[in-house]
Amino acid sequence: MAGRSNIVVSAAVRDALAGGAPVVALESTLIAHGLPRPRNREVAMELEQQARDRGVTPATIAVIDGVPRIGLDEPDLRRIADDTHVVKLSVRDLPVACATGWTGATTVASTALLASRVGIRLFATGGLGGVHRGAGDSFDESADLVTLATTPITVVSAGVKSILGISATLERLETLGITVIGYRTSTFPGFYLPHTTYDLDWRVSDASQVATTMTAADALGLTSAIVVANPLPSDQALDPALHDRVLADALAWAAERGIRGKAVTPFLLETFHRETDGASLEININAVRNNVAVAADIALAWAAADPAAADRTYRP
Ligand code: PSU
Ligand code: MN
């Protein structure tokens, strides 16, 4: 990389990376713009603790006063959760936020990019961004997809939300050369719904198989992401009838109000949480918890399988 990195890594994350110990990156847009206050703060802390309880160092990522930070201290985590001025930062926003000293939460795209820059190989989120319904006209496709095409990180997600066009998203993942693996599933999960009608080509039955796949990707010199699609247990699915009704309303309201750009996803999520009386919120939180658990297991398998990982990937 040309120039000097302006990324600041917390002591805990730096030590873990230097020692080849397992680390999982966590995004902050989910906290700041995906979950309602004050629940979002509890969830942010709980997710970190969940990783620690499994012997994995969490690295929540955000830009604080213009500084991209990998691993937040408690005041910064609270700020991301509580402060209504925190903006949503995708990759293209990062240089402006850094130059202006702004504070913002990072999406899957920008979290993956920053994590990868310091050698983190695992990342847990809720659902990936993808191709929005109606994208044929609106061209609304998340920058998550194109960033993952060039970012060597393994992302555990519960698929993509049904607010998106699942078929179009899968097609774009294929075009962009992003590896997609079902975690104990052969169908692509639909976030609120554990299964969709879309089959996956590849399935793994445990974390060590994902670590082996990462090693194989590295050996091939691939620099694209691996998406691990991890469905919720079926007893946690949102009632499909409720889901379909709310989805239709949410999309119509978004169109009526002319919601555009990066406001679309937060608007749809918030509408879902409100119109399902919080049912979608609980599912959303459970999906992230589930993904942190699997990402932590993969990070442990990766660290165990590849003691040289730190030497190879960490650039302080
Ligand atoms: N999935 C969630 N909650 C979220 C998001 C995804 O369950 O808040 C966020 C992620 O940060 C993702 C972003 O990267 O939405 C995608 O936004 P957009 O569609 O504007 O790219
Ligand atoms: Mn968009």
Side-chain angles (χ1 to χ4, degrees):
M1 217 186 347
R4 212 164 60 87
S5 172
N6 57 351
I7 302 172
V8 173
V9 184
S10 73
V13 174
R14 193 176 57 228
D15 290 350
L17 288 170
V23 177
V24 169
L26 301 168
E27 59 144 317
S28 47
T29 291
L30 163 66
I31 302 302
H33 305 285
L35 303 174
R37 297 182 195 88
R39 187 79 191 278
N40 61 344
R41 191 206 310 154
E42 287 164 37
V43 173
M45 295 192 179
E46 184 202 311
L47 296 174
E48 291 206 340
Q49 194 53 44
Q50 200 195 332
R52 284 189 201 102
D53 288 348
R54 292 172 108 92
V56 172
T57 301
T60 305
I61 296 180
V63 177
I64 307 288
D65 297 323
V67 178
R69 290 196 176 268
I70 316 275
L72 300 184
D73 59 18
E74 198 175 315
D76 286 345
L77 198 58
R78 285 176 179 274
R79 188 161 161 203
I80 288 296
D82 298 349
D83 187 343
T84 53
H85 297 100
V86 169
V87 293
K88 175 176 166 183
L89 302 174
S90 193
V91 173
R92 68 174 191 160
D93 306 306
L94 289 175
V96 191
C98 293
T100 55
W102 208 255
T103 294
T106 48
T107 63
V108 168
S110 45
T111 304
L113 184 96
L114 291 168
S116 179
R117 287 277 191 268
V118 301
I120 297 175
R121 297 299 303 269
L122 267 302
F123 172 16
T125 181
L128 288 182
V131 182
H132 282 257
R133 293 172 184 235
D137 292 321
S138 69
F139 279 68
D140 188 355
E141 171 182 337
S142 177
D144 291 354
L145 297 183
V146 286
T147 301
L148 291 180
T150 55
T151 306
I153 196 162
T154 298
V155 188
V156 183
S157 102
V160 296
K161 270 178 240 66
S162 38
I163 57 177
L164 301 171
I166 296 174
S167 169
T169 301
L170 285 168
E171 294 293 348
R172 288 292 288 153
L173 287 165
E174 180 180 343
T175 303
L176 292 165
I178 297 167
T179 301
V180 181
I181 310 174
Y183 194 80
R184 300 178 179 154
T185 184
S186 300
T187 60
F188 194 62
F191 196 82
Y192 298 130
L193 309 169
H195 297 287
T196 64
T197 53
Y198 299 98
D199 291 337
L200 290 172
D201 294 333
W202 303 103
R203 164 192 182 120
V204 293
S205 52
D206 62 35
S208 69
Q209 291 178 349
V210 180
T212 309
T213 308
M214 292 165 64
T215 304
D218 287 356
L220 291 164
L222 297 186
T223 52
S224 46
I226 296 173
V227 169
V228 175
N230 180 37
L232 274 173
S234 14
D235 58 353
Q236 292 180 22
L238 193 61
D239 169 31
L242 175 64
H243 169 273
D244 293 351
R245 179 179 65 72
V246 174
L247 178 60
D249 286 349
L251 291 171
W253 294 335
E256 261 168 41
R257 295 187 200 180
I259 308 280
R260 289 179 53 240
K262 65 185 179 182
V264 172
T265 296
F267 175 85
L268 293 175
L269 289 176
E270 191 193 324
T271 305
F272 251 86
H273 297 336
R274 190 183 63 240
E275 296 295 315
T276 63
D277 290 325
S280 72
L281 174 61
E282 293 313 313
I283 291 168
N284 196 330
I285 293 169
N286 281 335
V288 189
R289 286 184 182 128
N290 220 29
N291 294 338
V292 171
V294 169
D297 286 349
I298 301 168
L300 287 162
W302 173 251
D306 189 359
D311 297 342
R312 204 181 58 226
T313 57
Y314 183 54
R315 296 177 303 276

